[in-house]
Structures are given as structure tokens and as C-alpha cells.
């Protein structure tokens, strides 16, 4: 008797996180997206803040594949509800109660810090096998966006970690003052989130094709598109433009920096592991987001892909081959209250590049005062 063939693990379902500050227009955008026939097989989870949920009444695509999370804010107490909601959807689909869905959209409350939500998607032992983060879409009010960034650090974090930024209410820019304010807002977003593609909702640019499939793999070819995913060139250009700019300590977005760390030389697995461990251990809450591709010294033909949020690193994966001719190690980081030079000096130390009055990698790992996880 032959063994029955093993049941193939289904491909992870892409998850899009839709965020943005109060009143920016998230629900309006969600309604518009869900009216597209191409998203008919999308499951929706909506987070509410307060005892009575209202936004779910405004979502036209409200059916058995829509779950209302009404017990609190996703970024704090409701993370258990998020896990329960996603598992509930999977059980109903796997048991044939609802039709199969091929995408999930999570709309957060406007007060949410997106990072803890991403932690769940990256680290839950079961959900990480069934779901994958596709991207973060942040909605920004073109009229009130500048004032919101000035007043609310949550709005700054929402924009800083975005893969796509949707600008709403641009049709209300009807005075010279408002148009000038919008130009200033675009400049701030260009520095705050240089790697995020910006789309104008009023011009019809915020389509499913433009907003979704923001992950590593090109949806049409299924081949990794590292350059698009990292957006390292845009980050480098923004960093170069920001040089010489005097930062205002009291402005929230001036405390956030996006930059890249790159090297042509292969990196040992131990060195990159210890470097990331030290960065996460020392600057974890300040490391808003990390994307990277690494040329491993032990296996240079199969690059390692990294993706992290704060102190949480998604389980690394290796690509079958380099997707293009650029075979450098590139790490794109978005940090708060950390100077890029600090991270770069640390990376150089683990790469064995000498610097005056700075420890090298051996000094860091052999030091008895170093964190236990770094000692050899």
C-alpha cells in the first residue's frame, strides 16, 4: 500500500494593512476598493475604537468574511482579537462555510500604531504560515495632513512605515494657501517616507493594482523585484537632500530618518545575525522598519531576504537566485531618534572595517560586558 500524497500547504494569503489618522478617509477608500470586481474574494477585518462600532456599517462589503474587531484598539489590547479574527476566517474557509478568499484587508483605527499589528503577522507561529504581509497603505488628508503630522506622533509613524501613501481631499485644495500647504506636505512625506509610492485618490490613482501587491514579488511575473521593494535609490536621494537640513527637535517627523546601509563584500551569516541582534536589542523600539537583501559569504548565489518591524524580525528566507545584476547587500532602515551614522559604524564594525576609536566585531562579541546573545 502506498502512502497517500501529502496535502500541499497553500500559499500564504497576502494581507494589506490600511491605516491613517482619524478623518483621513480610510473607510471611503476601502469602500471604493471593495467595489472593484477584482477584490470580490477579499476578506475584511475592521478595527473600532470605543464600545460601539460604526465604521462596519459604512463598509458595503460586509458579509460572513468580514469581522468587526470592537473590543479595543488593534495596537494594544486587541492583538488577541486580531489573531482570533484571522483564525476564525481561516476555520470558516477551511471548513467550507465561506467561499475561499485570496486576500485580507485590515482597516485600523486612526489612533493605531501599526507596528504591533505587523508583529502579529510576522511572528505568530500559525498565522505566519497562512498569511504574508503584502504592504502598508497609509491614508493622508491633503488639507489637514500638515497639522496632523505636527500634532500627532501616531500619524508620523503611520506614514513612515508605509509602502503606499494615498492622498485624499486634494479636490478641496481651492486656495493658494491650501495649495502651498499641500506642496509643503508632499515635501515632508518625501523625507519621512521616501520609499513609499504616493497616489492621489481624487485623480483615481488609488486603484487596487496601484495599492496592492506591494511585497517583494512582482505579481505579474512572480519573480522577486528587489529594487521596487527596497526603494533604496529613493531613500538615498532623500537622505542626500536632507544633508545640511537643520532638524527641529520638537517636530515629530524630524526625529525619523530613512537611510540605507550597503556593501559589495559578502557578509557572513554570523556577522549579520549578531549585527541585527545588537541593533534590535539596543534600538528595538526606535527601529520602525527594516527591509534588506544580504549576500551571504557562505552561500553568495542565494541572497537572504530580511524584513523587520522594531525588535521583531520576520523569519528570514533565501531566494533561489539573484533577480538582477545588483548583488550588493542592502539594508533599508527607518529609525526614530537614532542617527544613521550610529548604525553604519556598528555595521562597519561587524564587517571588519577599521575606524578610529571604534570597536571591531571581535571586540563586541568577545567582550564579557556585551549582551549574552552576542558572546561567542
Amino acid at each position: 500500500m502506498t502512502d497517500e500524497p501529502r496535502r500541499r500547504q497553500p500559499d500564504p494569503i497576502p494581507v494589506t494593512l490600511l491605516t491613517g489618522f482619524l478623518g483621513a478617509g480610510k473607510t471611503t477608500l476601502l469602500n471604493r476598493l471593495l467595489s472593484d470586481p477584482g477584490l470580490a474574494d477579499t476578506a475584511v477585518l475592521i478595527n473600532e475604537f470605543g464600545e460601539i462600532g460604526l465604521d462596519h456599517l459604512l463598509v458595503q462589503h460586509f458579509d460572513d468574511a468580514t469581522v468587526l474587531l470592537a473590543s479595543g484598539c488593534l495596537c494594544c489590547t486587541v492583538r488577541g482579537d486580531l489573531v482570533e479574527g484571522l483564525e476564525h476566517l481561516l476555520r470558516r474557509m477551511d471548513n467550507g462555510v465561506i467561499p475561499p478568499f485570496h486576500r485580507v484587508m485590515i482597516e485600523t483605527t486612526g489612533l493605531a500604531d501599526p507596528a504591533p499589528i505587523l508583529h502579529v503577522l510576522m511572528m505568530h507561529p500559525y498565522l505566519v504560515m497562512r498569511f504574508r504581509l503584502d504592504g502598508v497603505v497609509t491614508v493622508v488628508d491633503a488639507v489637514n495632513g500638515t497639522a496632523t503630522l505636527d500634532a500627532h506622533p501616531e500619524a508620523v509613524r503611520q506614514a513612515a512605515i508605509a509602502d503606499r501613501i494615498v492622498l485624499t481631499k486634494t479636490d478641496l485644495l481651492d486656495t493658494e494657501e491650501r495649495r502651498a500647504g499641500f506642496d509643503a506636505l508632499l515635501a515632508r512625506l518625501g523625507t519621512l517616507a521616501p520609499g513609499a509610492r504616493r497616489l492621489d485618490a481624487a485623480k483615481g490613482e488609488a486603484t487596487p493594482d496601484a495599492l496592492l501587491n506591494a511585497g517583494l514579488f512582482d505579481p505579474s511575473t512572480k519573480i522577486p523585484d528587489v529594487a521596487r521593494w527596497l526603494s533604496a535609490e529613493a531613500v538615498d536621494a532623500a537622505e542626500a537632500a536632507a544633508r545640511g537640513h537643520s532638524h527641529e527637535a520638537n517636530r515629530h517627523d524630524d526625529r525619523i530618518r530613512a537611510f540605507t546601509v550597503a556593501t559589495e563584500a559578502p557578509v557572513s551569516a554570523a556577522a549579520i545575525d549578531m549585527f541585527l541582534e545588537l541593533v534590535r536589542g539596543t534600538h528595538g523600539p526606535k527601529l520602525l522598519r527594516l527591509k534588506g537583501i544580504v549576500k551571504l559569504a557562505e552561500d553568495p548565489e542565494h541572497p537572504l531576504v530580511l524584513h523587520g518591524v522594531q525588535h521583531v524580525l520576520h523569519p528570514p528566507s533565501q531566494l533561489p537566485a539573484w533577480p538582477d545584476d545588483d548583488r550588493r547587500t542592502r539594508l533599508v532602515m527607518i529609525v526614530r531618534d537614532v542617527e544613521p551614522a550610529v548604525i553604519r559604524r556598528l555595521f562597519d564594525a561587524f564587517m571588519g572595517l577599521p575606524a578610529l576609536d571604534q570597536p571591531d566585531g571581535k571586540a563586541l562579541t568577545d567582550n564579557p560586558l556585551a549582551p549574552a546573545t552576542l558572546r561567542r
Side-chain angles (χ1 to χ4, degrees):
M1 180 182 291
T2 59
D3 293 334
E4 293 185 8
R6 290 184 178 180
R7 186 176 179 181
R8 181 179 176 273
Q9 179 73 27
D11 292 334
I13 299 168
V15 178
T16 298
L17 185 64
L18 178 62
T19 188
F21 205 70
L22 296 169
K26 296 185 299 298
T27 300
T28 300
L29 175 64
L30 182 60
N31 272 322
R32 188 179 303 166
L33 291 173
L34 294 178
S35 67
D36 189 293
L39 295 184
D41 57 355
T42 297
V44 183
L45 286 87
I46 303 168
N47 175 220
E48 293 296 339
F49 186 75
E51 295 181 359
I52 302 176
L54 294 177
D55 278 358
H56 71 290
L57 301 176
L58 305 177
V59 175
Q60 297 163 5
H61 191 80
F62 183 69
D63 54 25
D64 285 339
T66 303
V67 176
L68 173 66
L69 304 177
S71 62
C73 175
L74 266 180
C75 65
C76 43
T77 59
V78 83
R79 275 183 288 176
D81 282 359
L82 174 60
V83 172
E84 184 178 342
L86 289 169
E87 290 180 336
H88 174 69
L89 284 172
L90 288 174
R91 283 195 301 271
R92 292 172 68 81
M93 180 180 69
D94 293 343
N95 293 330
V97 178
I98 60 174
F101 56 88
H102 298 95
R103 180 176 297 278
V104 174
M105 296 194 72
I106 301 174
E107 180 192 355
T108 76
T109 173
L111 299 173
D113 178 353
I117 307 168
L118 301 180
H119 295 173
V120 172
L121 298 173
M122 288 181 168
M123 292 303 295
H124 190 278
Y126 175 60
L127 296 181
V128 76
M129 294 189 296
R130 298 297 303 271
F131 296 104
R132 64 172 176 83
L133 175 66
D134 178 58
V136 179
V137 176
T138 300
V139 183
V140 176
D141 183 330
V143 177
N144 302 305
T146 295
T148 300
L149 292 175
D150 285 341
H152 301 285
E154 300 93 342
V156 174
R157 288 194 293 271
Q158 290 167 357
I161 69 169
D163 297 288
R164 303 284 188 269
I165 291 179
V166 177
L167 297 157
T168 59
K169 308 179 186 178
T170 55
D171 53 327
L172 301 180
L173 301 174
D174 50 3
T175 66
E176 286 298 327
E177 182 182 3
R178 283 187 170 184
R179 286 189 286 271
F182 180 60
D183 290 340
L185 174 64
L186 291 179
R188 289 178 72 170
L189 292 173
T191 302
L192 182 62
R197 183 180 177 187
R198 297 197 295 266
L199 302 159
D200 190 326
K203 294 180 179 178
E205 296 174 354
T207 62
D209 287 342
L211 288 175
L212 308 180
N213 300 312
L216 176 64
F217 289 87
D218 185 318
S220 59
T221 63
K222 307 300 182 184
I223 296 174
D225 188 344
V226 174
R228 173 185 60 85
W229 182 63
L230 287 180
S231 300
E233 289 186 2
V235 173
D236 287 340
E239 187 183 11
R243 289 194 185 104
H245 170 66
S246 59
H247 293 272
E248 301 175 29
N250 293 324
R251 203 169 84 168
H252 301 300
D253 47 318
D254 276 338
R255 300 170 60 187
I256 291 179
R257 306 288 293 277
F259 64 97
T260 62
V261 175
T263 180
E264 298 275 0
V267 183
S268 73
I272 194 67
D273 185 55
M274 289 187 289
F275 166 72
L276 293 173
E277 184 68 27
L278 189 56
V279 170
R280 290 187 297 161
T282 307
H283 305 294
K286 301 176 182 179
L287 180 62
L288 301 184
R289 200 164 183 190
L290 160 72
K291 293 181 181 180
I293 185 166
V294 179
K295 183 178 183 179
L296 290 172
E298 296 87 348
D299 192 2
E301 296 303 315
H302 301 95
L304 187 71
V305 176
L306 304 173
H307 190 194
V309 176
Q310 293 182 330
H311 59 281
V312 174
L313 189 68
H314 190 276
S317 60
Q318 277 190 276
L319 300 180
W322 288 91
D324 53 39
D325 294 333
D326 192 345
R327 299 192 170 196
R328 296 174 300 151
T329 289
R330 286 157 285 164
L331 303 177
V332 175
M333 298 187 178
I334 302 171
V335 299
R336 186 184 74 248
D337 294 332
V338 180
E339 282 297 321
V342 173
I343 305 295
R344 288 194 170 110
R345 285 196 299 267
L346 186 63
F347 183 77
D348 288 346
F350 280 101
M351 287 298 297
L353 300 176
L356 292 176
D357 300 323
Q358 295 294 328
D360 58 17
K362 183 176 178 61
L364 288 167
T365 55
D366 288 350
N367 184 352
L369 300 179
T373 53
L374 291 177
R375 296 181 210 145
R376 291 177 180 172

